[in-house]
Amino acid sequence: MTLALIWVLRPHPGVAAGMLLVAACPGGSVSNFYTLIARGNTVLSIGLTTLATLAAVLVTPLVFGFGARLLPEPPQAALGVDVVDMLQLLVVVIILPLMAALVVRRFAPEVAARIRRPCRSLAGLLLLAVIGFGFFNNLETFSPSLAPVLGTVVLHNALAFAGGYLVAMAVLLREPERRAITFETGLQNAGLALVLVFNFFDGDGAMALVAAMWGLWHLLAGLGLARFWSRRRPD
């Protein structure tokens, strides 16, 4: 869907690469919270987020590397990415923290219970800091094209939400499952996308701008959708 949207809109090559990178990242953990608010299947949401995050170590570099070659104007930076190097970074960013959390949970459950809430708050603050840095660090460079890029991000995100819901409906899932899958597809790990931009694309302004805008916008759009569904009981 992202590739089709890029071919239709023909955005700046850096913007197109940023859209593809965001789409290749796993869902964000905030989807679990929004699913809970929206009366969706929270257990399914947590399971999907966990599996997608683990799979991202292989899936993200492969999907991005393959998709970059199908862009209308593939940026040289995107084509030159070493998939193995990206995989190694993802192991450090995703697998090692997850394994550390599992070890603490298994052998020190009391400690895990005490630090759960502070860790969640710290993670949220770090995510906002990364998104804010990526956004404001490139604001002057792309201020003339800020509105078009924001419009592209809004459309891309809306199609992600709609695509998740329609696919779930097409395979005859119940309403709680539809809502969970909607948030899993509409809320991407924009913080991870920014980490990859800074490490593999020299902080490319267009890519960073897309990831930062996505990170801010999907939180607002997702919260609005969650509040809307919270007032409507699933059938």
Side-chain angles (χ1 to χ4, degrees), residues 91-116:
V91 168
V92 174
V93 173
I94 293 176
I95 298 298
L96 294 184
L98 182 60
M99 295 303 297
L102 290 175
V103 169
V104 174
R105 179 76 178 269
R106 173 66 178 83
F107 296 103
E110 300 85 0
V111 174
R114 285 199 300 270
I115 67 175
R116 179 183 301 167

PDB file of all heavy atoms in Angstrom, residues 91-116:
ATOM      1  N   VAL A  91      19.263  -5.917  16.457  1.00  0.00           N
ATOM      2  CA  VAL A  91      19.490  -6.883  17.539  1.00  0.00           C
ATOM      3  C   VAL A  91      19.811  -6.142  18.833  1.00  0.00           C
ATOM      4  O   VAL A  91      19.295  -6.463  19.908  1.00  0.00           O
ATOM      5  CB  VAL A  91      20.619  -7.864  17.175  1.00  0.00           C
ATOM      6  CG1 VAL A  91      21.040  -8.675  18.398  1.00  0.00           C
ATOM      7  CG2 VAL A  91      20.176  -8.805  16.063  1.00  0.00           C
ATOM      8  N   VAL A  92      20.665  -5.114  18.729  1.00  0.00           N
ATOM      9  CA  VAL A  92      21.046  -4.338  19.911  1.00  0.00           C
ATOM     10  C   VAL A  92      19.865  -3.532  20.450  1.00  0.00           C
ATOM     11  O   VAL A  92      19.643  -3.465  21.662  1.00  0.00           O
ATOM     12  CB  VAL A  92      22.225  -3.397  19.569  1.00  0.00           C
ATOM     13  CG1 VAL A  92      22.530  -2.469  20.740  1.00  0.00           C
ATOM     14  CG2 VAL A  92      23.457  -4.212  19.208  1.00  0.00           C
ATOM     15  N   VAL A  93      19.093  -2.940  19.542  1.00  0.00           N
ATOM     16  CA  VAL A  93      18.005  -2.049  19.946  1.00  0.00           C
ATOM     17  C   VAL A  93      16.777  -2.816  20.428  1.00  0.00           C
ATOM     18  O   VAL A  93      16.073  -2.370  21.336  1.00  0.00           O
ATOM     19  CB  VAL A  93      17.620  -1.115  18.779  1.00  0.00           C
ATOM     20  CG1 VAL A  93      16.371  -0.305  19.107  1.00  0.00           C
ATOM     21  CG2 VAL A  93      18.768  -0.186  18.445  1.00  0.00           C
ATOM     22  N   ILE A  94      16.518  -4.002  19.835  1.00  0.00           N
ATOM     23  CA  ILE A  94      15.279  -4.724  20.130  1.00  0.00           C
ATOM     24  C   ILE A  94      15.512  -5.981  20.970  1.00  0.00           C
ATOM     25  O   ILE A  94      14.939  -6.139  22.049  1.00  0.00           O
ATOM     26  CB  ILE A  94      14.569  -5.108  18.819  1.00  0.00           C
ATOM     27  CG1 ILE A  94      14.085  -3.853  18.097  1.00  0.00           C
ATOM     28  CG2 ILE A  94      13.390  -6.040  19.088  1.00  0.00           C
ATOM     29  CD1 ILE A  94      13.452  -4.126  16.752  1.00  0.00           C
ATOM     30  N   ILE A  95      16.355  -6.881  20.476  1.00  0.00           N
ATOM     31  CA  ILE A  95      16.489  -8.195  21.118  1.00  0.00           C
ATOM     32  C   ILE A  95      17.152  -8.105  22.482  1.00  0.00           C
ATOM     33  O   ILE A  95      16.659  -8.696  23.460  1.00  0.00           O
ATOM     34  CB  ILE A  95      17.274  -9.161  20.213  1.00  0.00           C
ATOM     35  CG1 ILE A  95      16.518  -9.378  18.899  1.00  0.00           C
ATOM     36  CG2 ILE A  95      17.499 -10.494  20.915  1.00  0.00           C
ATOM     37  CD1 ILE A  95      15.151 -10.002  19.075  1.00  0.00           C
ATOM     38  N   LEU A  96      18.270  -7.396  22.611  1.00  0.00           N
ATOM     39  CA  LEU A  96      18.977  -7.347  23.889  1.00  0.00           C
ATOM     40  C   LEU A  96      18.135  -6.727  25.008  1.00  0.00           C
ATOM     41  O   LEU A  96      18.059  -7.299  26.105  1.00  0.00           O
ATOM     42  CB  LEU A  96      20.301  -6.597  23.721  1.00  0.00           C
ATOM     43  CG  LEU A  96      21.346  -7.291  22.828  1.00  0.00           C
ATOM     44  CD1 LEU A  96      22.649  -6.506  22.814  1.00  0.00           C
ATOM     45  CD2 LEU A  96      21.589  -8.721  23.288  1.00  0.00           C
ATOM     46  N   PRO A  97      17.461  -5.580  24.770  1.00  0.00           N
ATOM     47  CA  PRO A  97      16.588  -5.061  25.841  1.00  0.00           C
ATOM     48  C   PRO A  97      15.449  -6.013  26.194  1.00  0.00           C
ATOM     49  O   PRO A  97      15.092  -6.146  27.366  1.00  0.00           O
ATOM     50  CB  PRO A  97      16.045  -3.751  25.246  1.00  0.00           C
ATOM     51  CG  PRO A  97      17.048  -3.342  24.236  1.00  0.00           C
ATOM     52  CD  PRO A  97      17.555  -4.630  23.649  1.00  0.00           C
ATOM     53  N   LEU A  98      14.893  -6.679  25.171  1.00  0.00           N
ATOM     54  CA  LEU A  98      13.809  -7.614  25.435  1.00  0.00           C
ATOM     55  C   LEU A  98      14.287  -8.801  26.259  1.00  0.00           C
ATOM     56  O   LEU A  98      13.624  -9.222  27.209  1.00  0.00           O
ATOM     57  CB  LEU A  98      13.208  -8.105  24.110  1.00  0.00           C
ATOM     58  CG  LEU A  98      12.019  -9.063  24.224  1.00  0.00           C
ATOM     59  CD1 LEU A  98      10.867  -8.405  24.965  1.00  0.00           C
ATOM     60  CD2 LEU A  98      11.564  -9.516  22.837  1.00  0.00           C
ATOM     61  N   MET A  99      15.457  -9.321  25.933  1.00  0.00           N
ATOM     62  CA  MET A  99      16.008 -10.444  26.694  1.00  0.00           C
ATOM     63  C   MET A  99      16.324 -10.020  28.128  1.00  0.00           C
ATOM     64  O   MET A  99      16.093 -10.772  29.071  1.00  0.00           O
ATOM     65  CB  MET A  99      17.270 -10.973  26.006  1.00  0.00           C
ATOM     66  CG  MET A  99      17.026 -11.593  24.634  1.00  0.00           C
ATOM     67  SD  MET A  99      15.827 -12.961  24.687  1.00  0.00           S
ATOM     68  CE  MET A  99      16.685 -14.118  25.744  1.00  0.00           C
ATOM     69  N   ALA A 100      16.856  -8.807  28.289  1.00  0.00           N
ATOM     70  CA  ALA A 100      17.145  -8.319  29.638  1.00  0.00           C
ATOM     71  C   ALA A 100      15.867  -8.210  30.461  1.00  0.00           C
ATOM     72  O   ALA A 100      15.834  -8.580  31.648  1.00  0.00           O
ATOM     73  CB  ALA A 100      17.842  -6.962  29.556  1.00  0.00           C
ATOM     74  N   ALA A 101      14.791  -7.724  29.823  1.00  0.00           N
ATOM     75  CA  ALA A 101      13.513  -7.611  30.529  1.00  0.00           C
ATOM     76  C   ALA A 101      12.979  -8.977  30.932  1.00  0.00           C
ATOM     77  O   ALA A 101      12.459  -9.154  32.041  1.00  0.00           O
ATOM     78  CB  ALA A 101      12.498  -6.895  29.633  1.00  0.00           C
ATOM     79  N   LEU A 102      13.104  -9.956  30.043  1.00  0.00           N
ATOM     80  CA  LEU A 102      12.625 -11.305  30.356  1.00  0.00           C
ATOM     81  C   LEU A 102      13.416 -11.933  31.500  1.00  0.00           C
ATOM     82  O   LEU A 102      12.854 -12.626  32.354  1.00  0.00           O
ATOM     83  CB  LEU A 102      12.721 -12.182  29.110  1.00  0.00           C
ATOM     84  CG  LEU A 102      11.740 -11.856  27.982  1.00  0.00           C
ATOM     85  CD1 LEU A 102      12.028 -12.717  26.750  1.00  0.00           C
ATOM     86  CD2 LEU A 102      10.299 -12.055  28.432  1.00  0.00           C
ATOM     87  N   VAL A 103      14.721 -11.682  31.530  1.00  0.00           N
ATOM     88  CA  VAL A 103      15.553 -12.232  32.613  1.00  0.00           C
ATOM     89  C   VAL A 103      15.146 -11.626  33.950  1.00  0.00           C
ATOM     90  O   VAL A 103      14.994 -12.334  34.953  1.00  0.00           O
ATOM     91  CB  VAL A 103      17.048 -11.967  32.323  1.00  0.00           C
ATOM     92  CG1 VAL A 103      17.895 -12.287  33.559  1.00  0.00           C
ATOM     93  CG2 VAL A 103      17.524 -12.806  31.143  1.00  0.00           C
ATOM     94  N   VAL A 104      14.967 -10.297  33.972  1.00  0.00           N
ATOM     95  CA  VAL A 104      14.551  -9.638  35.220  1.00  0.00           C
ATOM     96  C   VAL A 104      13.178 -10.141  35.649  1.00  0.00           C
ATOM     97  O   VAL A 104      12.942 -10.419  36.834  1.00  0.00           O
ATOM     98  CB  VAL A 104      14.540  -8.108  35.030  1.00  0.00           C
ATOM     99  CG1 VAL A 104      13.957  -7.429  36.273  1.00  0.00           C
ATOM    100  CG2 VAL A 104      15.944  -7.590  34.765  1.00  0.00           C
ATOM    101  N   ARG A 105      12.272 -10.277  34.684  1.00  0.00           N
ATOM    102  CA  ARG A 105      10.909 -10.738  34.999  1.00  0.00           C
ATOM    103  C   ARG A 105      10.942 -12.166  35.558  1.00  0.00           C
ATOM    104  O   ARG A 105      10.169 -12.503  36.462  1.00  0.00           O
ATOM    105  CB  ARG A 105      10.060 -10.681  33.729  1.00  0.00           C
ATOM    106  CG  ARG A 105       8.631 -11.162  33.894  1.00  0.00           C
ATOM    107  CD  ARG A 105       7.765 -10.136  34.601  1.00  0.00           C
ATOM    108  NE  ARG A 105       6.395 -10.584  34.709  1.00  0.00           N
ATOM    109  CZ  ARG A 105       5.455 -10.327  33.800  1.00  0.00           C
ATOM    110  NH1 ARG A 105       5.752  -9.619  32.724  1.00  0.00           N
ATOM    111  NH2 ARG A 105       4.227 -10.741  33.978  1.00  0.00           N
ATOM    112  N   ARG A 106      11.845 -12.991  35.029  1.00  0.00           N
ATOM    113  CA  ARG A 106      11.890 -14.403  35.439  1.00  0.00           C
ATOM    114  C   ARG A 106      12.554 -14.584  36.796  1.00  0.00           C
ATOM    115  O   ARG A 106      12.065 -15.332  37.640  1.00  0.00           O
ATOM    116  CB  ARG A 106      12.651 -15.202  34.373  1.00  0.00           C
ATOM    117  CG  ARG A 106      12.919 -16.664  34.755  1.00  0.00           C
ATOM    118  CD  ARG A 106      11.632 -17.462  34.866  1.00  0.00           C
ATOM    119  NE  ARG A 106      11.869 -18.849  35.187  1.00  0.00           N
ATOM    120  CZ  ARG A 106      12.061 -19.319  36.403  1.00  0.00           C
ATOM    121  NH1 ARG A 106      12.046 -18.487  37.440  1.00  0.00           N
ATOM    122  NH2 ARG A 106      12.267 -20.601  36.621  1.00  0.00           N
ATOM    123  N   PHE A 107      13.668 -13.882  37.044  1.00  0.00           N
ATOM    124  CA  PHE A 107      14.449 -14.142  38.249  1.00  0.00           C
ATOM    125  C   PHE A 107      14.269 -13.084  39.335  1.00  0.00           C
ATOM    126  O   PHE A 107      14.684 -13.304  40.473  1.00  0.00           O
ATOM    127  CB  PHE A 107      15.950 -14.249  37.886  1.00  0.00           C
ATOM    128  CG  PHE A 107      16.258 -15.418  36.992  1.00  0.00           C
ATOM    129  CD1 PHE A 107      16.480 -15.232  35.637  1.00  0.00           C
ATOM    130  CD2 PHE A 107      16.314 -16.701  37.511  1.00  0.00           C
ATOM    131  CE1 PHE A 107      16.763 -16.307  34.804  1.00  0.00           C
ATOM    132  CE2 PHE A 107      16.597 -17.786  36.696  1.00  0.00           C
ATOM    133  CZ  PHE A 107      16.812 -17.598  35.337  1.00  0.00           C
ATOM    134  N   ALA A 108      13.672 -11.953  39.001  1.00  0.00           N
ATOM    135  CA  ALA A 108      13.433 -10.920  40.010  1.00  0.00           C
ATOM    136  C   ALA A 108      12.079 -10.258  39.755  1.00  0.00           C
ATOM    137  O   ALA A 108      12.008  -9.075  39.413  1.00  0.00           O
ATOM    138  CB  ALA A 108      14.559  -9.884  40.002  1.00  0.00           C
ATOM    139  N   PRO A 109      10.991 -11.021  39.908  1.00  0.00           N
ATOM    140  CA  PRO A 109       9.659 -10.480  39.601  1.00  0.00           C
ATOM    141  C   PRO A 109       9.286  -9.265  40.434  1.00  0.00           C
ATOM    142  O   PRO A 109       8.574  -8.384  39.963  1.00  0.00           O
ATOM    143  CB  PRO A 109       8.726 -11.666  39.874  1.00  0.00           C
ATOM    144  CG  PRO A 109       9.497 -12.587  40.768  1.00  0.00           C
ATOM    145  CD  PRO A 109      10.929 -12.407  40.383  1.00  0.00           C
ATOM    146  N   GLU A 110       9.776  -9.220  41.700  1.00  0.00           N
ATOM    147  CA  GLU A 110       9.454  -8.064  42.533  1.00  0.00           C
ATOM    148  C   GLU A 110      10.089  -6.795  41.972  1.00  0.00           C
ATOM    149  O   GLU A 110       9.473  -5.719  41.951  1.00  0.00           O
ATOM    150  CB  GLU A 110       9.942  -8.289  43.975  1.00  0.00           C
ATOM    151  CG  GLU A 110       9.318  -9.498  44.656  1.00  0.00           C
ATOM    152  CD  GLU A 110      10.060 -10.797  44.332  1.00  0.00           C
ATOM    153  OE1 GLU A 110      11.053 -10.721  43.586  1.00  0.00           O
ATOM    154  OE2 GLU A 110       9.645 -11.860  44.821  1.00  0.00           O
ATOM    155  N   VAL A 111      11.332  -6.931  41.534  1.00  0.00           N
ATOM    156  CA  VAL A 111      12.024  -5.781  40.933  1.00  0.00           C
ATOM    157  C   VAL A 111      11.312  -5.357  39.658  1.00  0.00           C
ATOM    158  O   VAL A 111      11.106  -4.167  39.401  1.00  0.00           O
ATOM    159  CB  VAL A 111      13.497  -6.142  40.637  1.00  0.00           C
ATOM    160  CG1 VAL A 111      14.181  -5.000  39.884  1.00  0.00           C
ATOM    161  CG2 VAL A 111      14.237  -6.440  41.926  1.00  0.00           C
ATOM    162  N   ALA A 112      10.912  -6.348  38.852  1.00  0.00           N
ATOM    163  CA  ALA A 112      10.211  -6.038  37.597  1.00  0.00           C
ATOM    164  C   ALA A 112       8.920  -5.278  37.860  1.00  0.00           C
ATOM    165  O   ALA A 112       8.586  -4.331  37.135  1.00  0.00           O
ATOM    166  CB  ALA A 112       9.919  -7.331  36.836  1.00  0.00           C
ATOM    167  N   ALA A 113       8.194  -5.687  38.906  1.00  0.00           N
ATOM    168  CA  ALA A 113       6.929  -5.023  39.230  1.00  0.00           C
ATOM    169  C   ALA A 113       7.162  -3.577  39.671  1.00  0.00           C
ATOM    170  O   ALA A 113       6.378  -2.683  39.346  1.00  0.00           O
ATOM    171  CB  ALA A 113       6.197  -5.796  40.324  1.00  0.00           C
ATOM    172  N   ARG A 114       8.267  -3.342  40.409  1.00  0.00           N
ATOM    173  CA  ARG A 114       8.536  -2.000  40.917  1.00  0.00           C
ATOM    174  C   ARG A 114       8.985  -1.042  39.816  1.00  0.00           C
ATOM    175  O   ARG A 114       8.655   0.136  39.849  1.00  0.00           O
ATOM    176  CB  ARG A 114       9.599  -2.053  42.024  1.00  0.00           C
ATOM    177  CG  ARG A 114       9.094  -2.591  43.352  1.00  0.00           C
ATOM    178  CD  ARG A 114      10.023  -2.178  44.484  1.00  0.00           C
ATOM    179  NE  ARG A 114      11.369  -2.702  44.274  1.00  0.00           N
ATOM    180  CZ  ARG A 114      11.800  -3.882  44.715  1.00  0.00           C
ATOM    181  NH1 ARG A 114      10.972  -4.664  45.399  1.00  0.00           N
ATOM    182  NH2 ARG A 114      13.021  -4.283  44.492  1.00  0.00           N
ATOM    183  N   ILE A 115       9.742  -1.545  38.870  1.00  0.00           N
ATOM    184  CA  ILE A 115      10.314  -0.650  37.854  1.00  0.00           C
ATOM    185  C   ILE A 115       9.467  -0.579  36.586  1.00  0.00           C
ATOM    186  O   ILE A 115       9.791   0.170  35.671  1.00  0.00           O
ATOM    187  CB  ILE A 115      11.749  -1.081  37.469  1.00  0.00           C
ATOM    188  CG1 ILE A 115      11.732  -2.438  36.746  1.00  0.00           C
ATOM    189  CG2 ILE A 115      12.640  -1.127  38.693  1.00  0.00           C
ATOM    190  CD1 ILE A 115      13.093  -2.864  36.233  1.00  0.00           C
ATOM    191  N   ARG A 116       8.364  -1.338  36.539  1.00  0.00           N
ATOM    192  CA  ARG A 116       7.558  -1.364  35.314  1.00  0.00           C
ATOM    193  C   ARG A 116       7.038   0.016  34.951  1.00  0.00           C
ATOM    194  O   ARG A 116       7.223   0.500  33.836  1.00  0.00           O
ATOM    195  CB  ARG A 116       6.389  -2.342  35.476  1.00  0.00           C
ATOM    196  CG  ARG A 116       5.494  -2.414  34.248  1.00  0.00           C
ATOM    197  CD  ARG A 116       4.328  -3.337  34.502  1.00  0.00           C
ATOM    198  NE  ARG A 116       4.794  -4.681  34.842  1.00  0.00           N
ATOM    199  CZ  ARG A 116       4.002  -5.627  35.351  1.00  0.00           C
ATOM    200  NH1 ARG A 116       2.727  -5.348  35.608  1.00  0.00           N
ATOM    201  NH2 ARG A 116       4.488  -6.812  35.618  1.00  0.00           N
TER     202      ARG A 116
END
